[in-house]
Amino acid sequence: VKNSLLVLIQHNCVQAFNAPRGNGDKTVTHYLAIFDNIVHRQRFSKFLSIIRADIPESEALLEGLLQNGRLTFGQLVERTISKVPEGSITPAREEIRMNFNKLVFAHYVERCPKPEPFFDPLVDEQSTSSRKRAPKTVEIALSIDKKVVNTAALSDAERFSEIPYIMEDASNANDSPRSSISGAKRKHNALEGDAELDSTIAENEVLWRANFEKFTFCLKKKFCADRKKPKLKVGTHPIWEAFFEASLMERDNNSVTSPINGIMERLGQKEGGTSMTLDHITRVLEELNCSPSSEDPDSFILDLSRIVEASRNEEIESLVRKKYGQEAFTIFRLLVRERGPVETDKIIDTTILDKQIVHGTLYKLWKDDYIDTERILSGTGTGNTQYFVWRVKNTFREQFIDNLCHAALNLRQMVNYIAELLLEGSKDDTKLRNRKNILILALTRHDDSLMLFQDF
C-alpha cells in the first residue's frame, strides 16, 4: 500500500496531509485523491507540441516531468545529461537551468504544493461556527478535500519562483568601485552565500511538475481559434489569427487579451496585413466579439466561454442529427436556444415541419431522456383545455458526457485487446496493426470532445 501511494504521489494523483487524531494524540497522515490532476496520456503529445512551438530547447525537460510526474531540478539535469547521445555535446548545467527557468517564467512548470500540509478539522469547525454567529455573513461551505488542497496550495509568487542563478565569484567584484567601500565585499559574500543556499535548495529539494492549467488553457485557446475560423467572413482570418498570436500572459482561464500594437505587428507578417488600417482592424475585432479591455484601452479581450458553450451545444446537436435525423436536430436546436418551455404548436410553426413528424420526433427525444414535457391546463369550469410544453432536460449534457466516457472506455478496451492479439503472434499482424492505429487515432480525436466538456 505504501509503495502504491508513493507512485500515486509521484504522478500528482494523491496529496498527503497531516491531521490530529484529537484529545492530544499524535497527528496521522491521510491521503487525498486529487483527480483534477490526472491527465490522459494522449494529451502529453499535445503538451509537448505546445512547447515545441514556443520553447523548443526546453522540450526534453518537460518530457521528463510528464513521464515522471514530479522531479527536482537536480534529477532533471541528470536525466537530460543521460539522454545525450554518444559523441554529442553535453549541455552545461547553467544552460539547462536557463531552459528550465524559461518554462517556469512562462508558467508551463510550477513548484509542487506543500507535501504534507497540516490541517486541523476541529479548529476549522470552531472558526466556522463562530463565523455563523456573525450577522449577514454568507460563506460557501467547502468540503474537507477542498480545504486540504487550499491549505497545501502555494501563492503564484511561490509556484512560479525560478531557480536563482549563483552570483559571480567575489574576486570579480574587486575591480568595481563599490569594493573600495568598507564592508562592500563582506556584503557581497553574504549575498553570494544566500544565493548559493537558495539555489541548492531549489535544485535538490524543491519538487516541480507540469502546470496542467496552463497547458489546458493553451489547448482551449487553440480550440476556440480553430473552431470559429471556418465561420469567419472573407478577409478576417488574418486579423483573427494575429489576435491569438499576440496574446499576453493570461489573467484567467476564460479570456484572451492582446494589445493592438501586437496585433498590428503580427498582421504585418501576413499577406495583405500591411495594407489594413487601424480603424478597419478595430472594427473587425469588435465584429468578432473582441471588446476593448477595461484595464487597458489599447488592448482587446475575448471571452472564450461563449465559444466553448456554443461548441458544446453544436456537439450534442450533431449527435442528435446522426441519431434521429435532420428534423430532430432542428427541433432540439430550437429547444436549446429557447432555454425554457415551448408549446407544441409553436414548435410546429417555427420549424415549419409536418405535425405528425413533430409529434413523433418529440416522443423519441422524450423517450431517450433528451427532453422533458409537461401538461398545462388552461381555462375554467367545463371549458378547460390542455396543451403540452417541451424543454431540454437539465441532465442532457451530463448524459452526453457519460456517453463520451463510455465510448472512450470501449475504444481503449478494443486497443488493449488488439495489443494482446499482437503479442500472441496472430497471423493477420498487418491487418491488426492497421486497425489498432485507426482506433488510436479515433481515441485521440475523441479526447478533443472530452476536453471540451470536462476541461474547458
Side-chain angles (χ1 to χ4, degrees), residues 120-397:
D120 192 343
L122 298 178
V123 173
D124 185 75
E125 289 178 3
Q126 292 174 0
S127 61
T128 303
S129 61
S130 64
R131 287 195 299 267
K132 287 181 179 179
R133 288 193 293 269
K136 298 181 181 180
T137 301
V138 179
E139 292 187 0
I140 301 175
L142 298 178
S143 59
I144 187 172
D145 56 344
K146 184 62 177 177
K147 293 175 182 177
V148 172
V149 171
N150 291 342
T151 304
L154 303 175
S155 65
D156 283 351
E158 294 173 315
R159 287 173 62 195
F160 307 111
S161 177
E162 301 174 18
I163 299 178
Y165 292 93
I166 300 175
M167 298 179 66
E168 295 181 359
D169 188 73
S171 60
N172 297 335
N174 292 336
D175 298 332
S176 173
R178 291 192 308 167
S179 62
S180 60
I181 301 175
S182 176
K185 184 174 181 180
R186 184 169 59 254
K187 182 178 180 181
H188 179 85
N189 290 337
L191 291 173
E192 183 185 41
D194 293 341
E196 289 180 354
L197 179 61
D198 293 342
S199 179
T200 302
I201 293 174
E203 289 184 8
N204 301 323
E205 297 183 21
V206 174
L207 287 170
W208 303 85
R209 68 179 183 182
N211 180 14
F212 296 136
E213 293 178 358
K214 168 72 175 183
F215 285 106
T216 301
F217 176 76
C218 291
L219 293 175
K220 180 179 181 179
K221 185 170 66 173
K222 183 179 183 302
F223 173 89
C224 291
D226 294 342
R227 190 76 175 215
K228 193 171 181 177
K229 191 180 296 184
K231 304 175 184 177
L232 299 179
K233 297 179 181 178
V234 178
T236 60
H237 290 80
I239 299 177
W240 181 251
E241 293 175 353
F243 171 79
F244 281 94
E245 292 172 0
S247 63
L248 302 173
M249 187 73 70
E250 63 276 3
R251 297 170 183 169
D252 55 60
N253 292 328
N254 291 316
S255 62
V256 175
T257 304
S258 298
I260 188 65
N261 291 336
I263 297 173
M264 295 183 68
E265 181 181 350
R266 296 284 181 170
L267 270 174
Q269 303 171 5
K270 300 181 183 296
E271 184 178 356
T274 54
S275 61
M276 295 183 182
T277 63
L278 178 61
D279 292 338
H280 173 71
I281 296 171
T282 303
R283 186 174 65 255
V284 171
L285 288 173
E286 292 176 351
E287 291 176 356
L288 296 173
N289 297 322
C290 301
S291 57
S293 173
S294 58
E295 299 180 3
D296 184 6
D298 294 330
S299 297
F300 282 81
I301 186 170
L302 173 67
D303 184 8
L304 299 180
S305 59
R306 296 176 60 180
I307 302 177
V308 169
E309 185 65 21
S311 300
R312 287 171 177 168
N313 291 336
E314 289 173 2
E315 287 280 320
I316 300 175
E317 290 165 4
S318 65
L319 176 66
V320 171
R321 172 187 283 168
K322 293 177 182 177
K323 193 173 182 180
Y324 302 100
Q326 180 64 34
E327 293 82 3
F329 164 79
T330 304
I331 294 173
F332 187 79
R333 168 171 280 191
L334 171 65
L335 295 177
V336 169
R337 293 185 174 180
E338 288 292 333
R339 297 183 178 181
V342 184
E343 297 181 30
T344 308
D345 291 341
K346 183 179 179 180
I347 295 174
I348 295 172
D349 295 338
T350 306
T351 59
I352 320 177
L353 293 174
D354 183 76
K355 185 176 181 179
Q356 292 184 349
I357 293 177
V358 170
H359 280 282
T361 304
L362 288 172
Y363 176 75
K364 291 178 182 178
L365 294 174
W366 170 78
K367 186 178 178 181
D368 289 346
D369 289 332
Y370 280 96
I371 63 175
D372 203 356
T373 185
E374 182 181 359
R375 185 175 63 176
I376 305 297
L377 295 176
S378 63
T380 57
T382 57
N384 284 342
T385 59
Q386 66 177 10
Y387 60 92
F388 289 88
V389 294
W390 308 83
R391 63 170 65 86
V392 292
K393 296 194 70 170
N394 295 330
T395 58
F396 80 94
R397 183 166 291 173

Side-chain angles (χ1 to χ4, degrees), residues 394-414:
N394 295 330
T395 58
F396 80 94
R397 183 166 291 173
E398 287 77 7
Q399 179 185 356
F400 183 80
I401 296 174
D402 187 59
N403 291 335
L404 283 178
C405 294
H406 277 85
L409 177 62
N410 292 336
L411 285 170
R412 172 54 62 189
Q413 289 178 341
M414 292 171 66

